[in-house]
Amino acid sequence: MADTTPRATSNRSTTPGSSVFKDHIAANWAERERPLPAPREQSAFAAARRARLSGLHPGRTIVVPAGQAKVRSNDCDYPFRPHSTFAHLTGWGTDTVVGSVLVLTPNGDGHDATLYFRATAGRDSEEFYANPEIGEFWVGPRPSLAEVAADLGVATADLGALDAALAGLDASVLVVRDADPGFTRALDERLGTTVGGAPEQDGAAATDDVLSRDLSELRLVKDAYEVHELRKAVDATRHGFDDVIADFDAVLAHPRGERIVEGTFNRRARADGNTVGYDTIAAAGHHACILHWTRNDGAVQPGDLILIDAGVEVDSFYTADITRTLPVSGTFSPVQRMVYEAVLEAADAAFAIVEPGITFRQVHATAMEVIARKTAEWGFLPVSAEESLQPDNQFHRRYMVHGTSHHLGLDVHDCAKARREMYLDGIVQPGMVFTIEPGLYFQQDDLTVPEEFRGIGVRIEDDILVTEDGAENLSVHIPPGPPSEVEGWIARSAR
């Protein structure tokens, strides 16, 4: 299987290697009280998710790696985040052990789940003090097999036993290929398979791509635990926006004020969650017209609008995704207000139609009707709004080239491998959570709009839960309302 040997650091190691030292460091440690934990709340939900997956792939072994830490520079890694599928099927969060692997083994009626991971090493081992990547002296203790089994409600085994467990597999095994590419390559070599290759099962090509598709589609409708975690993420995000507004004086004073916005929000994300769910966009002035502006190295000038697209990821890895466009001086100019109100009208119109039974694409179409009408009213289009909305025209899309909605959950762009007929053309169902995020962006050199509009970018983004009879805006308490409401929010938070 994949090589899990830690990277060498022997050329700069000063750790003593004598037998006297080894005997000395292994002795005289107090016994630790480590009672078994009660099952965490999400363990029952994770078991139900595994059962649904089992029903889709009867008789086939399914392998889901957590993945390895990714190198940032030389022997320094980025903070480890397991593959979202692994988190979804195990319920393990920020305390996931690097390199773990979930194996679902057919048992005739379904699947048995076993979680393989590198268990804690004894303090009589060299790993304990001499291994800077996984040793307890360096990175802290790992849980025992028994602790994780009790915590997650799943059978556990040491990672060293994984090779033997996979020894009898044939090419019908399914694996989440992108979770741990090194592990997948080694498994392919062992089984003689190729990327996406698998024999036919019941006349259908049950490939790893189909597994990834199914895993995405299982996440389209959120369970009660997932909705609860998304609410937590949105609440933490609200505090992050309040923090940013309270820092506006410092933001305006610094030559890279966008970085102050980013840092202030990220501090809240680390304090109240795991981290940010994606790179924060802090786009002031004409930078707001750059859809994924994450360099955040610009100044914030009095009178600017600043577009902040940010979300806190909580410890379970569920993330919010909120955008607010704020006047840093506290009030909108007349033109800024006009653009903001048009975007708000598009967002409100899209939200108003959300209910079970519509198609997902209708949300975007409804927002676009408003965007086309407004830009036509302002004289920016060479044709009427009705003509612009024709598929072969779309002149209004010059000012909003992105889509209005995407699913949200463990990934900010969740369920990405679902089929088009389940996603864009899918029927909206209770329990779905997705964004509504229309915008208008008038580039600073766009000659199709009057000069006073150039350099203005506005986006409003909310996180929407579909209910049995309509929809709930999870982020309604982060003022997305009329300009006067936003101005009042700034006045209160900036005190």
Side-chain angles (χ1 to χ4, degrees), residues 243-296:
D243 293 344
V244 167
I245 294 172
D247 264 4
F248 268 176
D249 285 346
V251 168
L252 288 164
H254 198 280
R256 295 205 288 183
E258 290 174 343
R259 290 277 172 95
I260 304 301
V261 171
E262 177 185 352
T264 296
F265 187 87
N266 290 7
R267 178 183 62 191
R268 175 64 67 173
R270 288 293 283 166
D272 287 3
N274 175 44
T275 185
V276 291
Y278 52 94
D279 287 343
T280 297
I281 296 170
H286 66 88
H287 285 165
C289 300
I290 302 171
L291 298 180
H292 286 170
W293 175 258
T294 56
R295 200 158 68 209
N296 300 341

Side-chain angles (χ1 to χ4, degrees), residues 157-228:
D158 190 86
L159 190 63
L162 181 60
D163 272 0
L166 300 180
L169 294 180
D170 58 26
S172 67
V173 64
L174 296 172
V175 60
V176 178
R177 305 192 68 86
D178 60 340
D180 188 337
F183 175 93
T184 300
R185 284 193 299 271
L187 187 60
D188 282 341
E189 291 171 3
R190 166 181 283 183
L191 301 177
T193 55
T194 58
V195 173
E200 290 194 345
Q201 176 82 2
D202 298 330
T207 66
D208 295 328
D209 290 340
V210 173
L211 173 65
S212 292
R213 179 203 73 190
D214 291 344
L215 288 164
S216 273
E217 292 174 0
L218 284 173
R219 287 158 53 183
L220 284 167
V221 175
K222 270 55 181 179
D223 58 39
Y225 174 78
E226 293 176 290
V227 172
H228 177 261

